[in-house]
Amino acid sequence: AVPCWLPTGCRSGVVEVERSVTAVLGQDVVLPCRYRAQEQEQVEQVTWLKRGPAGRSAEVAVLHRQHGEHVQEPYAGRVLRRAAGALEDGAIVLRN
């Protein structure tokens, strides 16, 4: 999955992601992603996408500051936010 960050204002902060994450079949895996915001920035929305064949992307989940979380099928029940609170930590847990 590829995270997409949409901070308000200028995009001048730093996105921190792991270049590679190893998962074990049948176990939960954390997909980390953190936005180190600059002064006066606030993350409004985090969108997780799955890159498929031929570079096409499909939406997995949207985390929104005001509207909460929305997870697409077939990921419903399998994608959770790792931490509550500000969206600067936009990591998700992919279950099983």
Side-chain angles (χ1 to χ4, degrees):
V2 177
C4 175
W5 293 85
L6 300 175
T8 58
C10 233
R11 291 189 190 191
S12 57
V14 177
V15 177
E16 299 172 343
V17 295
E18 298 291 325
R19 183 158 180 83
S20 174
V21 175
T22 301
V24 177
L25 186 63
Q27 294 187 8
D28 296 353
V29 63
V30 174
L31 302 178
C33 192
R34 174 171 288 283
Y35 183 76
R36 217 177 329 154
Q38 298 296 311
E39 191 175 334
Q40 303 300 317
E41 282 187 311
Q42 183 175 24
V43 177
E44 293 290 323
Q45 177 175 307
V46 176
T47 302
W48 281 90
L49 304 170
K50 179 179 180 182
R51 188 175 298 149
R56 301 185 97 179
S57 294
E59 186 177 283
V60 173
V62 175
L63 314 176
H64 194 277
R65 187 171 67 86
Q66 291 181 319
H67 303 293
E69 305 165 26
H70 178 73
V71 179
Q72 297 289 339
E73 290 291 342
Y75 302 98
R78 292 186 55 218
V79 172
L80 309 166
R81 265 193 84 187
R82 181 177 65 173
L87 286 176
E88 280 74 12
D89 182 354
I92 58 173
V93 176
L94 183 57
R95 300 186 65 188
N96 191 19

